[in-house]
Amino acid sequence: TPSVLPTTIYIANKDNPPQSVFKIGNTGLPFDATGDYFKANVMNFALGGAFNSRLNLNLREEKGFTYGIRSGFQGTKYPGTYTIGASVRRTATDSSITEVMREIKEYKEKGLTDEEVAFTRNSILNSEALRYESPFQKAMFLSRIVQYDLPTDFTIKQAQILKDMTKEDMNALAKKYLNPDTMVILVVGNKYTLKDKLEKLGYGKIKDVDLE
């Protein structure tokens, strides 16, 4: 279950780093090849799971804050996490976090566009055909079948789920699993130059953490 604590920013000090690094996230879901874990990652694809996602188009292409930003659900047999991560220009640390939180809220509240639904479906379906071509990919694919006792045709089931998922399904998953009000924001950067700016974002007092 998601943390009940309100969104809080933690900072780990690093003197004079070339960039700030942040991770934003909360509790996610256990791995499930055909359940909500798979569907939630489908939902997230247009937000932060692809190069042409909202987060990357905003922070990389439009604003030039980062070389790349991704978000996604990771899980094993136990509930994992939902995280958004990036390295950003030091001077754009607070602006980047503002933009990420705005994008998550908007995605949760307003949902996906028809174009994003089509982009998600086409991109994932087309990538599946190429995913298991190398020996390493085949080995990973087989180990996952063994580890989670999956049926060997689970990718066919995933493709069918993807074809059947509607915009309403994706929007409902966004509402259920994106929780911008209960997230942990961890920043690694120079706390002496960042702390005041981060406190102005309105998430309360910044908490110090040690990297060691």
Side-chain angles (χ1 to χ4, degrees):
T1 55
S3 161
V4 291
L5 293 171
T7 294
T8 306
I9 302 179
Y10 297 82
I11 189 160
N13 185 55
K14 199 166 164 71
D15 293 325
N16 304 315
Q19 294 181 303
S20 297
V21 179
F22 65 75
K23 280 267 171 88
I24 300 173
N26 49 18
T27 311
L29 296 157
F31 175 83
D32 184 340
T34 52
D36 269 16
Y37 175 86
F38 172 70
K39 292 174 188 172
N41 269 318
V42 170
M43 171 275 291
N44 170 76
F45 190 79
L47 175 62
F51 185 82
N52 286 330
S53 66
R54 286 192 195 187
L55 288 170
N56 207 51
L57 289 175
N58 180 342
L59 271 74
R60 177 194 156 105
E61 300 299 297
E62 191 183 313
K63 305 225 167 45
F65 290 164
T66 180
Y67 289 116
I69 179 166
R70 297 291 278 223
S71 64
F73 291 84
Q74 293 92 28
T76 60
K77 290 179 180 176
Y78 305 100
T81 54
Y82 175 70
T83 53
I84 303 112
S87 297
V88 298
R89 284 209 327 260
R90 278 182 300 175
T91 52
T93 308
D94 52 329
S95 308
S96 297
I97 291 169
T98 298
E99 288 301 313
V100 169
M101 298 307 282
R102 185 180 64 73
E103 292 284 10
I104 297 168
K105 280 178 184 162
E106 197 164 287
Y107 204 75
K108 178 186 177 86
E109 287 162 14
K110 297 183 182 172
L112 292 82
T113 64
D114 291 332
E115 291 77 17
E116 284 172 331
V117 173
F119 161 67
T120 294
R121 191 173 285 129
N122 294 336
S123 299
I124 300 177
L125 283 172
N126 289 333
S127 71
E128 282 302 321
L130 304 172
R131 191 166 286 176
Y132 310 112
E133 287 193 341
S134 76
F136 175 73
Q137 287 166 319
K138 280 199 180 81
M140 286 292 291
F141 177 67
L142 293 170
S143 73
R144 187 154 264 201
I145 287 175
V146 172
Q147 186 179 359
Y148 295 106
D149 197 23
L150 300 175
T152 50
D153 67 344
F154 81 90
T155 54
I156 296 166
K157 289 179 179 163
Q158 285 180 334
Q160 194 56 53
I161 289 166
L162 198 53
K163 287 172 188 166
D164 292 342
M165 277 177 84
T166 63
K167 182 163 81 166
E168 290 69 33
D169 293 333
M170 294 187 199
N171 290 348
L173 288 158
K175 281 191 162 57
K176 185 173 183 182
Y177 292 118
L178 297 178
N179 298 295
D181 297 328
T182 57
M183 291 187 128
V184 168
I185 301 171
L186 173 63
V187 179
V188 179
N190 188 314
K191 78 174 180 183
Y192 304 103
T193 58
L194 292 176
K195 214 165 184 182
D196 287 349
K197 287 181 175 181
L198 293 173
E199 286 200 337
K200 286 182 181 147
L201 299 183
Y203 296 110
K205 201 156 175 56
I206 309 300
K207 294 182 164 48
D208 286 312
V209 289
D210 201 334
L211 277 178
E212 300 308 319

